[in-house]
Amino acid sequence: MNMVTPAIRDFARRLVALEGSRAESPVTGGSEVVRVCEKLRLPLSKLAGDAGFRSLMSRAVALAKAEIPSLVAVQVRADGSMEGLDGSGHDQDMRVNGQAGIVVVAQLLGLLVTFIGEPLTLRLIRDVWPNASLAGMNTGSDEVL
């Protein structure tokens, strides 16, 4: 069952855009998507351990692959980092607006909402991106994500 709502997908798009607008030097292989996942690594590793983070990333990538088959080359390494998601592939899906990477981030956020709940997920994101605006994230119900 896929728990990625349009609001979660939009939120993932915003986080990726936020990372794209930053002037800081990127991590190795550092697309905006990789930077989002790397920034989430520390708090999620504290919460679930290194193996837990790797499991969440692996599941997010697997769910994203079901939606965008061109992600077949993306792998989660033993340390939880991603390989093959640098946007330099020849496949159209990997390049068009970073859509493939946004799907990976959205799946990760969807898993977090499922496992730890929306309030804790939002708090974790606020801790990582304290200046990120959550304005406009309300979908018209009580749901923010």
Side-chain angles (χ1 to χ4, degrees):
M1 179 158 89
N2 191 338
M3 298 302 296
V4 175
T5 65
I8 290 173
R9 193 172 302 264
D10 183 58
F11 195 58
R13 188 174 293 111
R14 287 177 183 213
L15 289 178
V16 170
L18 179 64
E19 281 305 310
S21 69
R22 296 193 182 243
E24 63 192 51
S25 64
V27 295
T28 304
S31 71
E32 293 87 358
V33 171
V34 171
R35 290 197 315 251
V36 168
C37 293
E38 285 299 312
K39 284 187 173 186
L40 288 171
R41 180 199 300 251
L42 181 62
L44 290 176
S45 292
K46 285 181 182 177
L47 181 69
D50 292 335
F53 174 75
R54 185 175 54 249
S55 293
L56 281 171
M57 281 306 308
S58 295
R59 183 64 181 149
V61 168
L63 290 169
K65 285 179 182 181
E67 188 174 336
I68 300 181
S70 63
L71 287 169
V72 70
V74 176
Q75 301 295 321
V76 178
R77 296 181 185 124
D79 67 356
S81 63
M82 286 189 296
E83 176 180 354
L85 192 61
D86 59 4
S88 63
H90 297 292
D91 194 291
Q92 179 97 10
D93 287 337
M94 293 292 281
R95 293 187 309 236
V96 176
N97 297 326
Q99 185 62 34
I102 290 169
V103 170
V104 171
V105 173
Q107 291 293 348
L108 179 59
L109 294 175
L111 289 170
L112 288 174
V113 168
T114 298
F115 292 129
I116 66 173
E118 183 180 306
L120 190 52
T121 299
L122 288 173
R123 184 173 180 179
L124 186 143
I125 292 189
R126 176 63 73 199
D127 289 346
V128 176
W129 291 278
N131 297 323
S133 172
L134 299 179
M137 294 310 301
N138 196 312
T139 60
S141 67
D142 290 335
E143 179 184 89
V144 175
L145 285 182

